[in-house]
């Protein structure tokens, strides 16, 4: 147990020292800004563009188009936000975790700890716990932040209880994406195979998250 705690503390310091916590936070804030700003201003820009030129075909309803991609209700807008987190933030999580252990093995960083009596499984479990938790931790507060920001501008048809539940589900999803990525990086000898496999999963994930 002491070995595991020491490894978790080491990985936590490594995560913070390499500014990965800031990178995760900035990407999530960027997604919040992107979705909220496009939701607020894109319909106005489209209406102005439509008054100047027919950018949409005659059989396409502008109202349906804006309702689907730029919803003015909070619940649907948070569905778009969840989908974007499922794509862009998941890509970041995958890139941060797919080569953690392969790189440490190739560089020989594990040789001295193994010679000192550490079990190799401890390193795997530590990476799973630390990186998965730290990557997932900012998702829930940012999800709640989007709810409170969006409620000032959009029609609020979303209750706080659902926000909390879905925010936790979204954070758990990112947790397991990181877990699966690290696990596959150990199972496969080629570290790029798990990268491809988990990316294929992320392609389907937004459709699932949008139903929230």
């Amino acid at each position: 147990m002491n070995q595991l705690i020491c490894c978790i503390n080491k990985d936590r310091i490594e995560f913070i020292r390499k500014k990965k916590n800031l990178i995760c936070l900035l990407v999530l804030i960027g997604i919040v800004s992107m979705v909220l700003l496009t939701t607020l201003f894109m319909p106005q820009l489209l209406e102005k563009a439509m008054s100047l030129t027919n950018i949409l075909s005659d059989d396409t309803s502008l109202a349906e188009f804006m309702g689907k991609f730029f919803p003015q209700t909070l619940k649907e807008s948070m569905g778009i936000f969840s989908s974007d987190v499922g794509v862009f933030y998941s890509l970041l999580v995958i890139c941060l975790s797919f080569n953690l252990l392969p790189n440490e093995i190739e560089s020989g960083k594990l040789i001295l700890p193994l010679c000192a009596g550490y079990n190799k499984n401890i390193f795997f479990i530590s990476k799973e716990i630390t990186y998965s938790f730290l990557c997932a931790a900012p998702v829930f507060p940012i999800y709640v932040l989007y709810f409170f920001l969006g409620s000032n501008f959009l029609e609020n048809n979303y209750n706080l209880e659902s926000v909390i539940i879905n925010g936790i589900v979204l954070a758990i999803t990112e947790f397991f994406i990181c877990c699966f990525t690290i696990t596959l990086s150990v199972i496969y000898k080629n570290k790029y195979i798990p990268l491809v496999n988990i990316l294929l999963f992320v392609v389907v994930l937004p459709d699932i998250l949008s139903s929230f």
Side-chain angles (χ1 to χ4, degrees):
M1 182 60 68
N2 288 335
Q3 289 185 352
L4 179 60
I5 293 174
C6 290
C7 288
I8 289 175
N9 188 50
K10 185 267 294 182
D11 288 332
R12 178 185 62 82
I13 295 173
E14 175 188 275
F15 192 90
I16 296 173
R17 184 174 295 168
K18 293 184 177 181
K19 310 297 183 184
K20 294 181 180 180
N21 57 328
L22 293 178
I23 294 172
C24 291
L25 186 60
L26 289 175
V27 169
L28 285 171
I29 292 175
I31 295 173
V32 169
S33 302
M34 178 185 67
V35 177
L36 198 56
L37 290 175
T38 54
T39 300
L40 292 176
F41 297 110
M42 190 60 71
Q44 300 176 13
L45 295 176
L46 283 176
E47 287 179 357
K48 291 182 179 180
M50 281 291 293
S51 64
L52 298 176
T53 179
N54 188 16
I55 61 173
L56 297 176
S57 61
D58 295 334
D59 59 347
T60 302
S61 171
L62 180 61
E64 292 180 359
F65 177 82
M66 291 191 298
K68 180 178 181 180
F69 294 99
F70 312 107
Q72 298 302 303
T73 52
L74 188 55
K75 181 179 179 180
E76 286 70 23
S77 180
M78 293 193 73
I80 299 294
F81 172 72
S82 298
S83 296
D84 288 346
V85 171
V87 174
F88 300 111
Y89 187 70
S90 295
L91 289 175
L92 173 66
V93 171
I94 293 167
C95 291
L96 290 179
S97 57
F98 85 97
N99 61 351
L100 285 174
L101 285 172
N103 280 354
E104 290 196 358
I105 294 172
E106 291 175 3
S107 63
K109 289 182 178 180
L110 299 184
I111 295 177
L112 288 178
L114 290 175
C115 293
Y118 279 79
N119 189 312
K120 61 182 180 180
N121 293 328
I122 294 295
F123 299 104
F124 169 72
I125 296 173
S126 175
K127 285 285 191 296
E128 289 265 283
I129 295 174
T130 307
Y131 273 77
S132 298
F133 177 78
L134 292 178
C135 286
V139 174
F140 176 75
I142 292 296
Y143 188 85
V144 175
L145 174 66
Y146 187 92
F147 169 76
F148 286 111
L149 289 176
S151 61
N152 294 321
F153 306 101
L154 305 173
E155 178 186 344
N156 192 347
N157 61 341
Y158 206 22
N159 60 71
L160 185 58
E161 181 181 355
S162 297
V163 171
I164 293 174
I165 294 174
N166 291 334
I168 292 173
V169 170
L170 188 61
I172 292 174
T173 301
E174 296 301 330
F175 180 93
F176 282 107
I177 285 176
C178 188
C179 278
F180 291 152
T181 304
I182 295 174
T183 301
L184 291 176
S185 71
V186 174
I187 294 176
Y188 292 104
K189 293 182 179 180
N190 189 329
K191 62 183 180 182
Y192 294 104
I193 293 179
L195 177 63
V196 174
N197 288 338
I198 202 71
L199 284 176
L200 291 176
F201 171 74
V202 169
V203 171
V204 181
L205 183 65
D207 292 331
I208 300 174
L209 294 179
S210 64
S211 63
F212 293 152

